[in-house]
Amino acid sequence: MNDFSRRGMLKATAVAGAGAVVVSGAAAAAAPGASAVTGASGGDGYGAECGPAKLTGRIVRPNDPGYTDARLGWDQLFSHYPLVIVFAQNTQDVVNALTWARQNDVALRIRSGRHSLEGWSNVDSGLVIDISELKSVHIDSASRIATVGSGLNQLEAVTTLAKHNFAVTTGTEGSVGLSGATLGGGFGFLTRWLGMACDSLIGAEIVVAKGDECGKVIKVDLNHNSDLLWALRGAGNGNFGIVTSLTYKLAPLKSVAYVQATWDGIDDLSRLLEAYQRTAPYTDNRLGTQLEIHRNQILLFAVLAEGTPAEATKLLAPILSIDSPQVSTQEGNWGDVYSGFQIPIKDEPANWKFYSQFAKKPFPTKAIDVVTSFIKDAPTDDSNFFVQAFGGAVRKSPRGGTAFPHRDALFYAEPGVGWGKRSDQPGICDPLTPQAQAWIAEFSQALRPYVDGAYVNVPNIGVQDWETAYWGSNFDRLRRIKAKYDPHNVFQYDQSIPPASC
């Protein structure tokens, strides 16, 4: 997920971040990453035959002292009370949990970074399979391939790869799960240079349903279950199975230039948004940018891969020349820069609501007027509207293709609203909630004539045509793949892909 919009102004000074443990090896591409499976059986995947299942891993139940912390997600607008939470320590724990849920007819959900924006990675009276502790990393520097456990968050992934001068596309918020971001498409500052996060995904290990009550592990890449690889690249979140490791093709990246500009007030909103949409999607592919508009200030963030601050500011001149913004620049290792603009979760609002949109054409004056009108009436300082430029490498699909369809977008757009203080007792009605919910609903509706499609990682709960909004003409193919790998619809939630009926 892409989340400067959820933070307000970011820190401009970078500090080094902590990454996951790295295990180097020449066999990285074939390494199972998160796997530590014993006692499994089966033909095309281990765990294919099963007896009575027993939950294994780190198990948290309602009477346990850590239950409240274990059940809470990042967005405290949603509060669920699962029957049991299994923090998997290896792939066999995932197989056991899936089998147990099926044998006991218990609803299940899959969770990693806890950023599911409608709370769909949790469930009342059901089983949550949490993969956030699957954090292994295997890097093969010679082949530029990394296989990682699906529990890494984006900060851990970025900083770990950056220590070896490698990168893949990620979203901007470090606490978001890497697997969730990638499997929904994934975009951020490196998107125009490297493509979507899912474009670098070349393989996965995934636990799928088997028969009437079992689970099994299968390998996914261009030579094995390649149809499922296509589906995982943009539609993989909770639809087909439980991904336990991901294999990426890496890009070399030694340093980046980072630019942050701030305009006080919003008097320059129209000029800035007009200049941004006419330049940012067409500039040097190495330059990734976001323009973020609040009710009291406008911010521009930019990252130039393998470039200098002087190059970056020159490329940004059509935007930076408007009025007199405060501008800061930095050059350094991508991991250090990325770590430096993270905001601690404790400093963020408790409640959030977003609406995802893609624009294939520049916003006309009427659309910019809509943005101006709603931003002036935003309910909190954390409320905002941001755009992120596409173009560049997004236009090209990787070998094998992807289910992500929005490659012709000029930019991604997202109204967002944040409010309330974090608490260990979420779910208490905040008096600002009705106003916040109404504001973003009306804002997003007013922009609908000027946008097309939506982003599955930022689900639009009220849209009736969500199937085509997320996946366009790919939806029918996704249903057929769902029928092949999950015919009993074991993996389901409010906007999950249903299996084709015939």
Side-chain angles (χ1 to χ4, degrees):
M1 289 168 209
N2 191 340
D3 282 278
F4 278 160
S5 61
R6 293 162 211 176
R7 313 179 167 281
M9 184 167 61
L10 306 180
K11 290 186 285 185
T13 303
V15 295
V21 176
V22 179
V23 181
S24 299
S35 297
V37 181
T38 58
S41 62
D44 55 349
Y46 44 83
E49 299 173 4
C50 57
K54 179 181 179 180
L55 294 178
T56 57
R58 185 166 71 88
I59 300 168
V60 180
R61 301 181 187 273
N63 291 332
D64 293 335
Y67 179 73
T68 297
D69 287 340
R71 73 175 181 83
L72 291 180
W74 170 79
D75 191 341
Q76 294 192 353
L77 185 62
F78 306 99
S79 183
H80 294 285
Y81 295 84
L83 174 70
V84 60
I85 304 168
V86 172
F87 289 88
Q89 306 300 297
N90 53 53
T91 300
Q92 187 62 47
D93 293 340
V94 176
V95 174
N96 294 344
L98 172 59
T99 304
W100 183 91
R102 299 190 72 196
Q103 291 178 348
N104 289 279
D105 195 24
V106 173
L108 66 90
R109 294 292 187 275
I110 309 158
R111 188 179 71 179
S112 179
R114 306 197 193 190
H115 278 256
S116 176
L117 296 182
E118 289 295 334
W120 292 337
S121 64
N122 207 337
V123 61
D124 291 318
S125 303
L127 168 66
V128 173
I129 303 175
D130 189 298
I131 57 173
S132 64
E133 295 179 6
L134 302 180
K135 292 187 181 293
S136 61
V137 179
H138 299 260
I139 298 173
D140 185 338
S141 297
S143 63
R144 297 178 181 175
I145 290 175
T147 296
V148 304
S150 57
L152 288 184
N153 64 32
Q154 295 186 139
L155 176 62
E156 291 167 334
V158 169
T159 53
T160 300
L161 293 178
K163 290 176 182 178
H164 298 263
N165 292 324
F166 288 122
V168 295
T169 298
T170 69
T172 52
E173 186 163 355
S175 61
V176 169
L178 176 70
S179 60
T182 299
L183 296 175
F187 59 87
F189 281 128
L190 303 183
T191 303
R192 301 187 65 256
W193 183 47
L194 300 180
M196 304 295 293
C198 66
D199 295 351
S200 297
L201 184 68
I202 59 173
E205 177 187 83
I206 180 170
V207 179
V208 297
K210 172 70 174 179
D212 292 330
E213 62 177 27
C214 300
K216 70 172 183 178
V217 183
I218 62 174
K219 179 180 180 179
V220 177
D221 57 33
L222 288 172
N223 298 313
H224 305 85
N225 305 300
S226 58
D227 55 346
L228 185 53
L229 177 62
W230 175 87
L232 293 181
R233 290 169 164 175
N237 285 327
N239 280 306
F240 306 100
I242 307 165
V243 173
T244 51
S245 76
L246 308 103
T247 299
Y248 294 90
K249 186 66 176 178
L250 306 177
L253 179 61
K254 292 184 178 180
S255 69
V256 302
Y258 175 63
V259 178
Q260 178 175 309
T262 305
W263 290 261
D264 293 329
I266 60 172
D267 290 344
D268 296 312
L269 190 159
S270 295
R271 295 169 63 201
L272 285 170
L273 189 50
E274 177 65 24
Y276 182 87
Q277 66 182 356
R278 298 290 181 183
T279 59
Y282 308 102
T283 190
D284 191 314
N285 289 354
R286 295 175 300 150
L287 185 67
T289 55
Q290 278 188 195
L291 186 69
E292 184 175 301
I293 302 164
H294 295 255
R295 66 183 183 183
N296 55 8
Q297 63 180 353
I298 300 172
L299 302 124
L300 174 70
F301 306 101
V303 170
L304 180 65
E306 302 292 10
T308 65
E311 288 180 277
T313 53
K314 183 177 179 180
L315 290 169
L316 293 167
I319 304 169
L320 297 179
S321 62
I322 297 174
D323 203 354
S324 302
Q326 304 167 39
V327 179
S328 62
T329 63
Q330 180 185 353
E331 184 176 3
N333 177 271
W334 175 225
D336 295 341
V337 171
Y338 187 92
S339 300
F341 57 59
Q342 300 303 314
I343 300 295
I345 291 177
K346 64 182 178 63
D347 295 337
E348 297 183 322
N351 309 308
W352 293 92
K353 198 73 174 179
F354 310 97
Y355 200 94
S356 62
Q357 303 167 321
F358 291 94
K360 294 183 178 180
K361 299 178 180 179
F363 276 179
T365 301
K366 288 183 179 180
I368 296 176
D369 289 344
V370 167
V371 174
T372 303
S373 174
F374 276 91
I375 284 296
K376 285 181 177 179
D377 293 330
T380 65
D381 287 343
D382 289 294
S383 306
N384 66 83
F385 175 78
F386 90 90
V387 293
Q388 172 134 24
F390 269 39
V394 180
R395 304 285 187 191
K396 301 177 182 179
S397 293
R399 182 184 169 204
T402 73
F404 180 82
H406 307 292
R407 296 188 180 274
D408 57 348
L410 281 183
F411 56 85
Y412 172 79
E414 185 184 287
V417 55
W419 73 100
K421 294 184 177 181
R422 293 193 169 269
S423 166
D424 59 0
Q425 295 180 323
I428 299 173
C429 183
D430 189 297
L432 197 57
T433 297
Q435 180 185 350
Q437 298 270 34
W439 178 81
I440 193 168
E442 293 169 4
F443 191 175
S444 59
Q445 183 65 26
L447 281 175
R448 289 199 73 180
Y450 313 104
V451 296
D452 179 53
Y455 181 39
V456 68
N457 279 353
V458 184
N460 295 345
I461 187 66
V463 174
Q464 301 218 348
D465 63 343
W466 55 268
E467 301 95 335
T468 53
Y470 299 147
W471 297 297
S473 61
N474 292 332
F475 187 66
D476 287 343
R477 182 181 177 187
L478 287 167
R479 290 195 63 191
R480 293 193 297 271
I481 295 172
K482 172 77 169 182
K484 177 180 176 181
Y485 292 94
D486 185 22
H488 299 297
N489 204 20
V490 173
F491 302 100
Q492 59 175 288
Y493 52 92
D494 293 47
Q495 289 184 349
S496 61
I497 297 168
S501 56
C502 59

